[in-house]
Every structure is written in structure tokens, then in C-alpha cells.
Amino acid sequence: SQTIHQWPATLVQPVGSPLSLECTVEGTSNPNLYWYRQAAGRGLQLLFYSVGIGQISSEVPQNLSASRPQDRQFILSSKKLLLSDSGFYLCAWRTRPEAFFGQGTRLTVV
Amino acid sequence: KQEVTQIPAALSVPEGENLVLNCSFTDSAIYNLQWFRQDPGKGLTSLLLIQSSQREQTSGRLNASLDKSSGRSTLYIAASQPGDSATYLCAVSLMDSSYKLIFGSGTRLLVRP
């Protein structure tokens, strides 16, 4: 069966520090992969998506970047975190028709 | 640009009531529609998926309908229970190679014992 792993579950980072969040999917191949952010009391905003290795599309200009070094690995990064980067980050995958989500990472930038 | 709206934003009902959550979207050219449940501080759990060619899907006490021409979907929860308390999110998938999900802002449901 397919599973998605996202880590860490919680993270507290100082302003200006780097960030790396990792997401891996098991039990499927060539999935579409997505990074979403959910600010407190807000809906889910799509940040990046990828339809294949090395293919990254950005939905909103921001301080973050994404990479897909392997078929089932999706990484969200930042060189210098801002306070506004705080939020709940969710990774998702799909190979049609249904999409599945990881358990999320709560990032607090202090 | 696809936009998804959910009404109401919050709902509080006594246990045992039947209830309806509403979702509307602006562009009928969708691949499918999914309803998700989110518990506080947790990820999303997929509840029901309706393909664009379907009218409804059922799973246990949940029934979701889709009227693509009018841009509407409803999630019906029968005989609500306190364990149903959560945020319910509606999302449509775009009909392109990204199949990205566009979310509504959710309905926060509280079922009182």
C-alpha cells in the first residue's frame, strides 16, 4: 500500500536560519507531488508542485524553494527563514484520481 | 482562476442531527472533487472523491453530491456524533497535467454530546 512520510512533525527555528523539510512516498511511482502551507485559521495555499524528477513549478513568489532529487522525494527549503514563514506545511501526492496528504510539519519561526 | 468557497465557516449541532456542508466552485472544468477531514494539528484525511462524471458518492454515514454545471457540491452527514467534530475541507482538482487541488477555507464542525 502507498504511504507518505513527512518530517519533522514540529520545528522551531530562529529568523535567518535555513530550512529543509522532507517528504517521501512509498508504494507508488511517478506521483505528482505538492507542498501546501496552512496559516493559522486559513485555508491551504499551494506553494509548489512537481510532475516529475527535477520538474518544479512555483505557485507564489516567496522565500522558499523546492526540489525533487528522486522520483518519490520532495524537499522544501529556505536559505533564510522569515517570521512570515511560520505555518503548517503539508506534503501531498497523487497518481490519479485521488490525492493523499502527510501528517504535516508545524514550523514556528522565532 | 478557480475559486472554492465553503459555507458555513463554522457549525455547531447537537449529537444525532443530520447536517449538510456546502461547497461551490467557479470553474466547472474540474477533474474531480474531494472532501477531506482535518483534526486539529493533523494532516488531511480523504473522505470521499467524486469524479467529474459522477453525481454522488457514499461512505457509511457520509454522502457527497456533485452538480458540476452549477459548480456545487454538498457533504451530507447523517446522525452526527461527537467524533465527527473536525474541519471539513472541499477541494477541486484542475483538469491539467498538474491535477493540483484548489481548496476552500473549510467548515469547522462541532457536534455537542
Side-chain angles (χ1 to χ4, degrees):
Chain A
S1 63
Q2 303 95 339
T3 57
I4 181 169
H5 301 281
Q6 188 180 341
W7 67 92
T10 59
L11 194 58
V12 180
Q13 292 284 100
V15 169
S17 64
L19 173 73
S20 180
L21 302 181
E22 188 164 342
C23 171
T24 60
V25 181
E26 295 179 357
T28 187
S29 59
N30 197 31
N32 279 14
L33 296 172
Y34 311 88
W35 278 110
Y36 285 84
R37 178 170 60 200
Q38 188 176 36
R42 308 275 299 275
L44 277 82
Q45 180 186 37
L46 179 62
L47 302 176
F48 300 95
Y49 69 90
S50 172
V51 299
I53 297 175
Q55 300 179 58
I56 308 295
S57 296
S58 175
E59 287 291 293
V60 292
Q62 57 204 312
N63 184 44
L64 302 169
S65 62
S67 62
R68 185 172 178 175
Q70 300 180 41
D71 181 44
R72 290 171 287 178
Q73 184 184 30
F74 206 22
I75 298 172
L76 184 68
S77 304
S78 174
K79 293 182 179 179
K80 291 185 178 181
L81 284 169
L82 306 172
L83 287 173
S84 58
D85 292 324
S86 293
F88 191 51
Y89 289 82
L90 288 155
C91 178
W93 71 273
R94 77 186 308 160
T95 54
R96 294 192 278 170
E98 195 169 0
F100 299 94
F101 282 76
Q103 285 302 300
T105 295
R106 173 74 57 192
L107 172 65
T108 303
V109 183
V110 297
Chain B
K1 178 184 176 184
Q2 180 72 266
E3 294 182 359
V4 181
T5 303
Q6 289 188 248
I7 295 173
L11 187 61
S12 179
V13 300
E15 182 177 3
E17 268 202 13
N18 302 324
L19 54 99
V20 175
L21 308 181
N22 296 292
C23 172
S24 62
F25 47 96
T26 55
D27 187 345
S28 62
I30 62 171
Y31 175 60
N32 60 30
L33 183 145
Q34 272 184 271
W35 281 94
F36 293 89
R37 169 184 172 140
Q38 185 178 29
D39 293 296
K42 303 294 185 182
L44 275 64
T45 300
S46 179
L47 297 174
L48 288 166
L49 178 145
I50 310 177
Q51 290 294 119
S52 61
S53 58
Q54 296 175 322
R55 297 285 293 187
E56 67 176 328
Q57 282 288 329
T58 298
S59 176
R61 293 182 294 109
L62 305 180
N63 175 276
S65 68
L66 173 64
D67 185 342
K68 202 172 69 163
S69 60
S70 67
R72 295 180 181 180
S73 176
T74 61
L75 178 66
Y76 175 82
I77 303 177
S80 59
Q81 303 170 358
D84 294 331
S85 299
T87 296
Y88 290 80
L89 295 157
C90 163
V92 298
S93 294
L94 299 187
M95 198 180 290
D96 59 30
S97 62
S98 74
Y99 296 102
K100 54 191 175 187
L101 287 160
I102 307 299
F103 281 86
S105 54
T107 294
R108 192 169 63 255
L109 173 65
L110 174 65
V111 181
R112 308 186 304 272

